[in-house]
Amino acid sequence: MDLFGGGLANGAIGAPAWRELPAEARAALTSLMTQLILDHAATTTTPRAKEVGHDF
C-alpha cells in the first residue's frame, strides 16, 4: 500500500494528494498517525515466554 502516492487506485475520490496538503496539515496528520500506532502498540500485548519446568 502506498500511503503517500498520488494515484487514485487505492485512495478516496476527491481526496487531495499528500503533497498538495499544507505543511501544517501533513505534520498534524503524521503526529496523529504516530500517536495512534504507539497507542496501539502499548495496548497490544505479546504473550510472555514460559519457562520450561524440569520437575524431576
Side-chain angles (χ1 to χ4, degrees):
M1 174 175 16
D2 185 6
L3 295 176
F4 305 111
L8 290 177
N10 293 325
I13 297 173
W18 180 254
R19 289 180 181 91
E20 294 174 359
L21 293 173
E24 297 84 17
R26 290 192 310 247
L29 287 169
T30 301
S31 176
L32 289 170
M33 289 302 296
T34 302
Q35 190 61 47
L36 180 66
I37 292 167
L38 292 174
D39 289 348
H40 177 71
T43 60
T44 303
T45 60
T46 56
R48 288 183 161 204
K50 293 183 180 178
E51 285 189 33
V52 177
H54 297 287
D55 296 331
F56 287 83

